[in-house]
Amino acid sequence: MARKANTEGADSAENAGRLKQIALTYKMTKRTDPKIGLVIAAVGIVTFGVLLAIGFLVGHPIYLGILGLFLAFLAMAIIFGRRAEAAAFGQMDGQPGAAAAVLDRVGRGWTTTPAVAMNRNQDVVHRAVGKAGIVLVGEGNPNRVKTLLAAEKRRMARIVLDVPVHDIIVGDGEGQVPLKKVRVKMLKLPRVLSGPQVTAANDRLRAMGDLMSNMPLPKGPMPKGMRMPRGGKMR
């Protein structure tokens, strides 16, 4: 009985934590998306109304009404999640390290290493490895980022010759990818590697990072507060 009570208490605490998280996410999203409440309510009402109307037409309003209720909650949850994600990306846009935060949300099957290359102007390149190969994502001044990307590709070429490498520059200019579309861009890349190949690529890149971390730092002053990222190289 005591074990059952403890389990129920843990479940209640977990549910309360989820509700609190949802409430915090809603408040955060509403600051940048004031109409989110109206949009979610409209989606739920329309979904339920359509299913209920179909139910009356086919003579099963109760069954279709129950189904419509479930689908309405599902549609509301999906729309809320998408708008909350868009709001979060909007708040991160332009902030240092925003691309690394996006990479962490790409999904399962991807291994992310932030700040594998950086210069003294705080332009930075992050790396993600998955079945699509290696994706280098740069943020900062586009011209300087291109130099960083080219240097990182040359550095990796000695280690992972057989793995495709893609590069993305975050931004709103020509040839760049907006922050909120980076995840979609990566998920659309063709999957050409098997699981063991992805693991092997990660192992080789980690070994390369360990080798670089043992090299002496370049001479010259570093910006105040700047730290050398593990596995990265100042350029």
Side-chain angles (χ1 to χ4, degrees), residues 66-83:
I66 294 173
L67 178 62
L69 192 61
F70 282 113
L71 291 179
F73 278 113
L74 178 61
M76 291 166 68
I78 292 173
I79 296 300
F80 173 62
R82 289 181 177 177
R83 294 182 81 98

Side-chain angles (χ1 to χ4, degrees), residues 97-100 103 115-118 122-128 135-150 152 166-172 175-179 182 186:
L103 292 180
V116 295
M118 184 184 299
Q122 299 190 36
D123 304 305
V124 64
V125 171
H126 312 290
R127 184 180 68 222
V135 180
L136 298 176
V137 180
E139 54 180 338
N141 179 277
N143 293 325
R144 294 194 300 259
V145 166
K146 288 178 181 178
T147 301
L148 277 178
L149 288 170
E152 186 62 21
H166 312 272
D167 59 75
I168 295 173
I169 298 178
V170 178
D172 297 317
Q176 301 173 14
V177 179
L179 184 68
V182 169
M186 291 178 61

Side-chain angles (χ1 to χ4, degrees), residues 40-58:
I40 293 175
V43 168
I45 292 171
V46 170
T47 303
F48 175 73
V50 168
L51 268 294
L52 186 62
I54 294 174
F56 278 109
L57 288 176
V58 300

Side-chain angles (χ1 to χ4, degrees), residues 5 14 33 42 71 77 143 162 183 201 206 210 215 229 232:
E14 184 177 354
D33 187 1
L71 291 179
N143 293 325
D162 55 339
R183 180 176 179 272
R206 273 194 292 266
D210 291 339
M215 295 180 66

Side-chain angles (χ1 to χ4, degrees), residues 205-217:
L205 289 169
R206 273 194 292 266
M208 180 181 70
D210 291 339
L211 176 62
M212 297 304 297
S213 65
N214 291 327
M215 295 180 66
L217 290 175

Side-chain angles (χ1 to χ4, degrees), residues 13-27:
E14 184 177 354
N15 290 334
R18 289 177 180 174
L19 291 175
K20 185 177 180 180
Q21 183 64 40
I22 291 173
L24 289 174
T25 303
Y26 178 81
K27 290 179 180 178

